Amino acid sequence: MIQTFTQHDVIRYVYQETTEEENLMIQDGLVHDNEMLEFYLDMLDVKAGLDKSFQQPSERSIDNILAYSRNYTESHQTLVV
């Protein structure tokens, strides 16, 4: 039986969201399908770029959000009877 994989499957593999059985089949596909291998390598580059660009919010931003949330809750609560 020949198993075909979608680009979605390869992306799941890149993010380690596949089962061990799927991993083995995808790895076999990467060895035998140059187009699939090229897509996989491209996705590794994309993931690395996304991981590198990930930033944490500043403490000031977090404090502003928490202060807004506290004020919103206190000033907008309604009494349900």
Side-chain angles (χ1 to χ4, degrees):
M1 179 175 121
I2 296 175
Q3 177 70 36
T4 58
F5 294 97
T6 65
Q7 291 179 341
H8 182 262
D9 294 323
V10 175
I11 293 169
R12 287 178 45 242
Y13 178 73
V14 167
Y15 282 91
Q16 300 174 353
E17 296 177 353
T18 50
T19 65
E20 287 298 320
E21 183 179 339
E22 287 174 311
N23 289 347
L24 293 173
M25 290 188 288
I26 290 172
Q27 289 165 2
D28 186 57
L30 293 172
V31 170
H32 294 98
D33 185 340
N34 286 336
E35 190 174 316
M36 182 178 171
L37 178 60
E38 285 181 37
F39 180 76
Y40 168 70
L41 294 174
D42 288 344
M43 289 304 99
L44 286 179
D45 287 341
V46 168
K47 182 180 182 302
L50 288 171
D51 290 346
K52 190 175 185 179
S53 69
F54 181 75
Q55 296 183 7
Q56 295 289 332
S58 68
E59 287 297 319
R60 181 175 172 217
S61 294
I62 293 171
D63 291 341
N64 287 340
I65 292 168
L66 292 173
Y68 177 84
S69 178
R70 281 190 293 273
N71 291 333
Y72 182 84
T73 302
E74 293 170 3
S75 63
H76 291 89
Q77 285 185 348
T78 57
L79 181 60
V80 178
V81 181

